[in-house]
Amino acid sequence: MDDMRKELLKALGYSEKAVDVLDAELHYGELDGPTISVRHQAGCGDVLMLDLRIEENIIRDAAFRFVGCSGLQASASGVAEMVIGKSIDEAERIEMQDIVDWLEGLPRNKFECAEASSITLHKAIAEYRARTKMADS
Ligand code: FES
């Protein structure tokens, strides 16, 4: 990302950390053989796909793809980074504000993008729970 774009993002309200996360494309991509892969379409039409690798209820790896805005990209990176190493129960408690806090700031009108990321995470965990429950029964 060039310096002009970085400055523009900061002027719009993205924190220094959020800009670094965007620049690094942190956890952008896909996992090879994920345990769970979900897709969520936000109200604005943007789409997030999240892959999780889960072993014994611990999230070992996470990656995402998206079609959408920088707010969605930054918050999905945040979600992926935050969940790695956490149990399913811990990850399930991550909400929109936790993502904004982890990023150290997003423009106010991008909070709904963080909300879309938390909804996608919760969807992935619900699907994992449903699947493991089915396997147990
Ligand atoms: Fe749609 Fe960011 S997710 S504007």
Side-chain angles (χ1 to χ4, degrees):
M1 184 191 303
D2 62 38
D3 289 348
M4 205 195 301
R5 183 162 165 77
K6 286 183 186 174
E7 290 313 314
L8 182 58
L9 287 166
K10 284 182 209 166
L12 288 171
Y14 287 85
S15 69
E16 188 97 32
K17 182 175 180 180
V19 172
D20 287 348
V21 162
L22 287 168
D23 191 33
E25 298 184 340
L26 189 67
H27 301 298
Y28 177 74
E30 57 189 314
L31 298 183
D32 191 18
T35 312
I36 291 290
S37 190
V38 294
R39 180 182 186 280
H40 173 69
Q41 183 160 34
C44 63
D46 291 355
V47 174
L48 177 61
M49 286 147 282
L50 179 67
D51 292 350
L52 299 178
R53 180 179 339 283
I54 305 169
E55 293 164 0
E56 294 171 358
N57 289 336
I58 304 291
I59 300 174
R60 299 291 179 197
D61 206 358
F64 73 96
R65 279 101 51 221
F66 76 110
V67 179
C69 73
S70 297
L72 186 62
Q73 182 188 341
S75 54
S77 282
V79 162
E81 180 68 17
M82 289 165 84
V83 298
I84 294 173
K86 283 198 169 57
S87 70
I88 290 299
D89 290 348
E90 289 168 329
E92 198 169 37
R93 290 197 284 273
I94 294 173
E95 300 290 348
M96 180 264 279
Q97 191 60 49
D98 302 308
I99 301 166
V100 174
D101 291 347
W102 187 88
L103 286 166
E104 297 173 2
L106 274 182
R108 187 66 191 85
N109 63 357
K110 293 292 168 187
F111 280 24
E112 63 195 61
C113 316
E115 180 75 35
S117 297
S118 76
I119 290 171
T120 310
L121 171 65
H122 295 155
K123 209 168 168 176
I125 292 173
E127 192 168 319
Y128 173 74
R129 286 198 195 283
R131 240 195 251 174
T132 46
K133 203 170 164 191
M134 259 194 316
D136 286 349
S137 59

